[in-house]
Amino acid sequence: MATSTRGPGAATARPVRIVDVAALAGVAPGTASKALSGTGQLREETRARVRRAAEQLGFTPDGVGRALSSGRSFTVGLVTTDSIGRFTLPVVLGAEDALGAGDVAVLLCDTRDDPLRERHHLRSLASRRVDGVIVTGRRTDPRPPVDVAVPVVYAFQPSSREEDTSVVVDERGGAAAALAHLHSLGRRRVGHVTGARSHASARARADAVRDAALAAGLPLVADPLHGAWSEEWGRRAVDLLLRAAPDLDGITCGSDQVARGACDRLRELGRAVPDDVAVTGFDDWDVMALASRPPLTTVGLEMHEVGRTAARLLLEAVDGRPSPGRTVLPTHLVVRGSTMA
């Protein structure tokens, strides 16, 4: 049922139809429709050929007709608890990258950590007949599953129900890589500072560093220090670590905020970073990592890729091909001045 626009000066020409695009691309009309909507199991070269044909003919799909003919709304909801947007915005951008090829719109809903608001937003999305929902947040603690009648993918913050589709990052691997980096630089007296024990991220990162240190035969100078996700805690933790190990030569931190505070305190105490003490962060939050003195070596979470992967899995689920369970994406170490002079 899709219609189209006409080229300039073609006031009397008939509208270009999907069958015209299909003929130029050398495919069936149904294949052309799937290629332009981002559905179906088609080769990428086929999709590209159809898109080129549509562009050459000046074809623009009629969204209403396309929805009526397919039974889809070509919209998805993205529900988040991250009011600040620190983690949600990259997820949204990544999701839009994956959804844009199929002209699927994203409806963003901020719950502000309020269960009542979340239920309201979910009812609103259901009334709009969205094709699916992406659920995300600023923490990695497993959350209760949402109750909707369309496919759902959880991004960054997984569902507590193991069979649900969740996309998470390898926090343990990232934390171990940061410690291995310090060891490779000859640092042997290392401490770890992170967030509160109530956060799954803080526990996962601290456990990974402690386990990796023991496996390397270089145990931490003290048990991992847990506190707030703040620069102030990073500064205070440095005093605690130096009291336990005056010859401290490395600190891995559970966030960039904590690491920036640690660097500030070390500088105040006359300990040069990285010459005397090398410091690593976590998250690769440029507001913190690049503004730190020196810029932080940190673990990147690839949040754009989290969004892209979640959107791709959601489209596949809408198309009848769900992927139950957790998809774990790798992190990567970004080396900067806080470890390398």
Side-chain angles (χ1 to χ4, degrees):
M1 292 182 65
T3 60
S4 69
T5 58
R6 305 174 188 178
T12 60
R14 72 168 176 81
V16 180
R17 299 170 299 170
I18 190 69
V19 293
D20 301 315
V21 175
L24 181 59
V27 299
T31 300
S33 179
K34 290 179 181 179
L36 293 176
S37 65
T39 60
Q41 301 183 47
L42 305 178
R43 291 183 298 177
E44 185 54 38
E45 63 183 80
T46 301
R47 295 187 190 276
R49 190 165 72 251
V50 172
R51 287 195 292 267
R52 286 195 300 269
E55 183 178 352
Q56 181 178 336
L57 294 174
F59 176 82
T60 303
D62 173 4
V64 175
R66 184 168 59 134
L68 289 173
S69 64
S70 65
R72 290 180 51 187
S73 66
F74 294 94
T75 59
V76 302
L78 195 149
V79 177
T80 180
T81 62
D82 179 20
S83 302
I84 299 173
R86 159 68 187 96
F87 297 104
T88 295
L89 289 179
V91 170
V92 171
L93 293 175
E96 287 186 331
D97 286 346
L99 297 170
D103 292 326
V104 178
V106 179
L107 304 178
L108 179 61
C109 302
D110 177 15
T111 70
R112 304 177 195 174
D113 269 332
D114 183 344
L116 290 177
R117 288 181 64 90
E118 179 172 283
R119 287 196 290 272
H120 165 74
H121 284 311
L122 290 171
R123 285 195 299 268
S124 177
L125 291 171
S127 70
R128 294 172 181 269
R129 300 185 183 279
V130 296
D131 297 327
V133 175
I134 296 173
V135 178
T136 187
R138 63 179 177 272
R139 296 180 62 159
T140 60
D141 305 75
R143 56 150 294 151
V146 300
D147 182 19
V148 291
V150 294
V152 179
V153 174
Y154 299 83
F156 191 59
Q157 183 173 30
S159 170
S160 58
R161 192 165 54 196
E162 292 187 3
E163 63 267 28
D164 288 342
T165 302
S166 299
V167 181
V168 299
V169 296
D170 182 11
E171 296 184 277
R172 287 187 59 92
L179 179 67
H181 173 63
L182 293 185
H183 285 169
S184 73
L185 298 175
R187 309 300 171 132
R188 297 293 182 264
R189 302 283 290 166
V190 179
H192 181 71
V193 184
T194 190
R197 292 182 186 275
S198 58
H199 286 250
S201 286
R203 296 193 303 273
R205 297 170 190 184
D207 289 348
V209 170
R210 183 181 57 243
D211 293 348
L214 290 173
L218 297 167
L220 298 175
V221 297
D223 288 337
L225 300 180
H226 290 269
W229 297 112
S230 69
E231 293 176 68
E232 181 182 356
W233 166 236
R235 289 191 290 269
R236 289 198 294 117
V238 165
D239 292 337
L240 296 175
L241 283 175
L242 288 175
R243 200 172 301 158
D247 56 349
L248 179 78
D249 63 6
I251 305 175
T252 68
C253 297
S255 80
D256 293 334
Q257 287 172 281
V258 172
R260 182 173 170 178
C263 288
D264 287 348
R265 183 56 177 158
L266 288 166
R267 187 170 58 252
E268 291 170 358
L269 295 173
R271 302 285 185 106
V273 178
D275 294 344
D276 297 327
V277 183
V279 179
T280 66
F282 210 108
D283 296 336
D284 197 21
W285 186 11
D286 55 3
V287 171
M288 288 289 165
L290 298 181
S292 177
R293 296 167 54 196
L296 291 174
T297 290
T298 183
V299 177
L301 297 180
E302 301 286 6
M303 296 301 291
H304 283 79
E305 187 57 36
V306 170
R308 279 193 291 268
T309 301
R312 176 179 57 79
L313 292 176
L314 185 64
L315 287 178
E316 291 176 358
V318 170
D319 201 35
R321 295 177 288 120
S323 300
R326 294 188 183 183
T327 297
V328 182
L329 300 182
T331 57
H332 73 285
L333 188 69
V334 182
V335 178
R336 299 192 181 101
S338 66
T339 60
M340 303 288 286

